[in-house]
Amino acid sequence: MADNQQADEQVTTAADESAGAKPDKRAERRTAKLAKEIRAFATSHGGSAEGQLAHIGRGRTRIALVGANGEWGALVAESYDSAKGAAEKAGVALHDDFDGDIAAKVRTGPYEWSRMAGIQLGGPANS
């Protein structure tokens, strides 16, 4: 089963950055919390994980994770920089794309197969 969580993060505005303001302490704490959640995922799924970052709209970035045991999950950060920083703090190897090596490691269970196959193979109906 996939583990999905969302981590809301405060980011500095472009005006703050251009004025040379220090990074928002709240954003730093949320990035640290996100890194902790990534480490917890890795620990509970074989001791390590790999990931891939993808922009999903409104500045948010999805961190798709695949544990060493093949289980997968996703977290959402408010910015690409925050997602990348959290993944680096957690020691997760990042891939450019979710294909090839990382996709081959994903292990899906009966639930995912029944949802992918749907009605064709007798899976639950989408009523």
Side-chain angles (χ1 to χ4, degrees):
M1 240 353 133
D3 293 331
N4 292 305
Q5 291 183 345
Q6 183 171 345
D8 293 322
E9 301 186 28
Q10 185 74 15
V11 295
T12 57
T13 64
D16 290 339
E17 290 173 1
S18 64
K22 292 183 179 180
D24 185 359
K25 294 295 181 186
R26 181 178 284 163
E28 290 175 5
R29 286 191 306 269
R30 289 184 175 154
T31 298
K33 181 181 177 196
L34 188 58
K36 184 178 177 181
E37 291 172 347
I38 293 169
R39 281 191 299 272
F41 174 87
T43 299
S44 66
H45 294 290
S48 66
E50 298 178 49
Q52 188 265 337
L53 306 180
H55 174 73
I56 57 173
R58 295 190 181 219
R60 293 180 180 226
T61 298
R62 180 191 72 222
I63 307 166
L65 298 167
V66 179
N69 66 355
E71 293 289 322
W72 59 278
L75 295 167
V76 176
E78 281 295 318
S79 71
Y80 182 87
D81 291 337
S82 179
K84 185 174 180 181
E88 289 172 351
K89 282 183 182 181
V92 170
L94 293 175
H95 295 265
D96 292 332
D97 296 308
F98 198 90
D99 61 1
D101 293 336
I102 192 169
K105 294 176 183 179
V106 174
R107 184 174 54 99
T108 55
Y111 172 79
E112 288 87 2
W113 280 103
S114 68
R115 295 303 297 166
M116 287 187 278
I119 297 169
Q120 293 85 354
L121 297 178
N126 293 327
S127 42

